[in-house]
Amino acid sequence: MNKITLRSPATTANVGPGYDIFAMALKEPYDEITLFLNDSEKIEICVSGDCCYIPTNTEDNTAGLAVLELFKRKKIQQGVKIEINKKMPSCGGLGTTGASAAAAIYGLNKLLNLNLSSNELIDISRMGEVASGGSPHADNVAASIMGGFVLVKSYHPIDVLKLDIPEFPIVLAAIKKSQRTTRGFITYEIGQEKLKEQMAHCASVIHALHTKDILEFGKAINVDHIAEPVRGASIPEYYEIKKKVLDAGAFGCTISGGGSSVIAFCSKENQEKIAQMFEKGFASNPHYIKTIRSFTSNQGVHEI
Ligand code: HSE
């Protein structure tokens, strides 16, 4: 086999209090990635679809950088062409960069019969994220590879736990970032009280997933003292709209991954109402792209 086409899901990282350690896969949107092996010993990248600002130089592209890492670690000399068909908006917070890296490594693992474990796939794929935000965070690529809800239990070495989850309805306002990354402004110096609350909310997220309690889950993701203060401040309408959708019955609302996208979890009956509130609320934001109605999903990257 020298060709494989894969579908790689969007992911929402952090899931409230779990900065860099929690993420969930979404049913839609997704990207499609095709890999072709060849004898050139070169890595070639082509991007089509919603491809504004996506570099095709190997070192600057998340999939390209991840493949370089794979070839270096496993001492592989191989030519590969990577066709990335972007079917999701290229904006912050959908894990789109991680989806490409995850698909490239997952696909090469199959094509080259490498038999890598999920943790190895994640550890190599996350290196691609350096091309996007400058940091090899594992949450997005882990959810793209494994699907469901992922908990990064350890970074040294990478050890990720997947929890299967119910299909939660979600509404996501896709909003472009006004700056490349806000990670540098995030601090862990949040004080004892907030730290205790943050840990308690992380524990509540996991408990709510085990008990399939969407109300508890929503309450738990509403609090984040680490990333939300920085990223919330860069989305002018964020806190006002969060309050409005929670008042209207959404279970939880938080910033999706690195922002500026915003995600809400709600009942199926409320999904359209919450979506319309996002559409109206974010309409005047010049970086707003569109509102996506979708579900969480247990399916990670897969061959199509
Ligand atoms: N955990 C990462 C961050 C996810 O918050 O920067 C980026 O999508």
Side-chain angles (χ1 to χ4, degrees), residues 180-251:
R180 192 163 172 255
T181 175
T182 43
R183 289 182 67 88
F185 300 102
I186 290 172
T187 176
Y188 291 94
E189 308 290 321
I190 57 175
Q192 216 182 94
E193 289 312 309
K194 287 183 176 166
L195 182 61
K196 279 191 266 188
E197 210 181 42
Q198 189 91 9
M199 290 193 294
H201 279 79
C202 283
S204 296
V205 169
I206 301 296
H207 178 67
L209 290 173
H210 281 313
T211 53
K212 300 190 176 20
D213 184 340
I214 181 84
L215 285 172
E216 182 68 29
F217 174 80
K219 268 193 243 160
I221 69 148
N222 275 331
V223 175
D224 169 27
H225 298 301
I226 294 178
E228 191 184 49
V230 171
R231 290 168 173 163
S234 70
I235 311 168
E237 318 79 357
Y238 172 65
Y239 287 105
E240 196 191 329
I241 294 170
K242 173 169 176 165
K243 182 172 183 318
K244 279 190 187 159
V245 299
L246 292 177
D247 288 348
F251 302 128

Side-chain angles (χ1 to χ4, degrees), residues 79-214:
V80 60
K81 182 174 174 196
I82 306 170
E83 281 183 2
I84 303 172
N85 185 1
K86 303 289 321 166
K87 289 179 175 281
M88 49 178 139
S90 52
C91 65
L94 277 85
T96 167
T97 55
S100 301
I105 300 308
Y106 180 94
L108 283 172
N109 183 46
K110 289 213 158 204
L111 288 177
L112 300 172
N113 296 315
L114 300 174
N115 293 318
L116 301 179
S117 67
S118 296
N119 282 332
E120 275 183 290
L121 294 175
I122 293 164
D123 197 26
I124 294 168
S125 304
R126 78 188 175 103
M127 294 305 163
E129 295 278 31
V130 174
S132 141
S135 121
H137 55 88
D139 41 3
N140 289 112
V141 294
S144 269
I145 286 174
M146 300 175 102
F149 178 97
V150 292
L151 160 63
V152 184
K153 291 194 293 180
S154 157
Y155 266 83
H156 306 289
I158 280 290
D159 187 6
V160 178
L161 176 75
K162 174 192 176 180
L163 299 178
D164 277 320
I165 45 173
E167 275 199 355
F168 290 155
I170 65 108
V171 176
L172 187 143
I175 305 171
K176 273 192 200 295
K177 273 190 218 179
S178 51
Q179 54 199 122
R180 192 163 172 255
T181 175
T182 43
R183 289 182 67 88
F185 300 102
I186 290 172
T187 176
Y188 291 94
E189 308 290 321
I190 57 175
Q192 216 182 94
E193 289 312 309
K194 287 183 176 166
L195 182 61
K196 279 191 266 188
E197 210 181 42
Q198 189 91 9
M199 290 193 294
H201 279 79
C202 283
S204 296
V205 169
I206 301 296
H207 178 67
L209 290 173
H210 281 313
T211 53
K212 300 190 176 20
D213 184 340
I214 181 84

Side-chain angles (χ1 to χ4, degrees), residues 272-285:
E272 188 51 37
K273 181 171 79 180
I274 304 295
Q276 288 179 13
M277 291 178 78
F278 272 2
E279 280 164 351
K280 195 166 161 223
F282 290 113
S284 60
N285 183 327

